[in-house]
Amino acid sequence: MFREFCTIHRGTATGHGTTVIGDENLFMAYAHVAHDCTIGNRTVFANGASLAGHCVVEDDVILGGYAAVRQFLKIGRYAFVGAFSGMNRDVLPFLWSSSERDVKAYKVNAVGLERKGFSKERVAALQKAYRVLHKHRHDRSAMLAGLEAIAATSDDVRFLRDFIVTSKEGIHGA
């Protein structure tokens, strides 16, 4: 659903040539999607939320009002980006992130995940992973080693670890 005054730009010849938007998304008033972006399914772009070019937004993401995402960034699935936040690095999946006061990934998006049908065990595994992320935020190798232990029993944590490993732009809040 596209509400009032949304802007969606088509792909460019110098980009990958397409802007792709999945199903069951909501773009509130004045939301903006620039050229060559890929947006998954069931996302919400609150009023004025904006993507610069070449961004990827995975499934079930919520961008708060007037959130701004720099070009070439990736927003991981089930992420929640707070209102008035400027994102200048990739946003981790499953987490609640903001730059309202400082650039930080604050916590697991537990309420949003439970609304999407995640079991308490799945949320608990992600919360355990978040504690590892926070504890080792200045030591990438220790962070990945800690996540590896949890990822052995959790597909969600494995996805989170893989997202970190493949990030090209750095991780928001790390």
Side-chain angles (χ1 to χ4, degrees):
M1 177 181 296
F2 296 98
R3 297 301 310 212
E4 301 80 13
F5 308 109
C6 290
T7 53
I8 312 293
H9 292 193
R10 63 184 180 185
T12 62
T14 56
H16 54 75
T18 58
T19 295
V20 179
I21 297 176
D23 298 323
E24 301 177 49
N25 297 299
L26 171 61
F27 296 87
M28 294 182 182
Y30 298 97
H32 173 72
V33 177
H35 59 87
D36 300 293
C37 288
T38 302
I39 298 170
N41 302 311
R42 299 170 305 280
T43 64
V44 176
F45 283 59
N47 293 352
S50 297
L51 299 180
H54 305 277
C55 290
V56 174
V57 177
E58 294 182 341
D59 294 342
D60 299 289
V61 168
I62 297 175
L63 294 178
Y66 301 99
V69 180
R70 176 178 70 76
Q71 67 272 16
F72 298 104
L73 294 187
K74 185 174 183 179
I75 312 293
R77 66 184 180 190
Y78 297 102
F80 180 92
V81 176
F84 301 102
S85 294
M87 298 291 116
N88 58 3
R89 290 189 171 33
D90 290 342
V91 177
L92 290 170
F94 310 108
L95 298 184
W96 188 89
S97 298
S98 179
S99 66
E100 191 171 322
R101 293 186 192 98
D102 56 354
V103 177
K104 188 172 180 182
Y106 283 96
K107 60 184 177 180
V108 172
N109 183 18
V111 172
L113 294 175
E114 288 173 6
R115 287 178 182 164
K116 292 288 185 175
F118 277 56
S119 68
K120 293 198 182 300
E121 293 79 19
R122 286 177 74 186
V123 173
L126 288 165
Q127 287 173 328
K128 186 175 180 181
Y130 176 76
R131 287 191 290 276
V132 169
L133 290 172
H134 185 69
K135 179 179 180 182
H136 299 295
R137 66 186 174 276
H138 301 297
D139 184 351
R140 184 179 171 91
S141 59
M143 177 193 301
L144 293 174
L147 290 175
E148 189 66 40
I150 305 166
T153 59
S154 171
D155 291 338
D156 298 323
V157 175
R158 189 173 312 111
F159 183 86
L160 177 65
R161 183 211 53 213
D162 292 347
F163 187 95
I164 292 168
V165 169
T166 60
S167 174
K168 294 178 182 161
E169 298 294 324
I171 302 299
H172 178 74

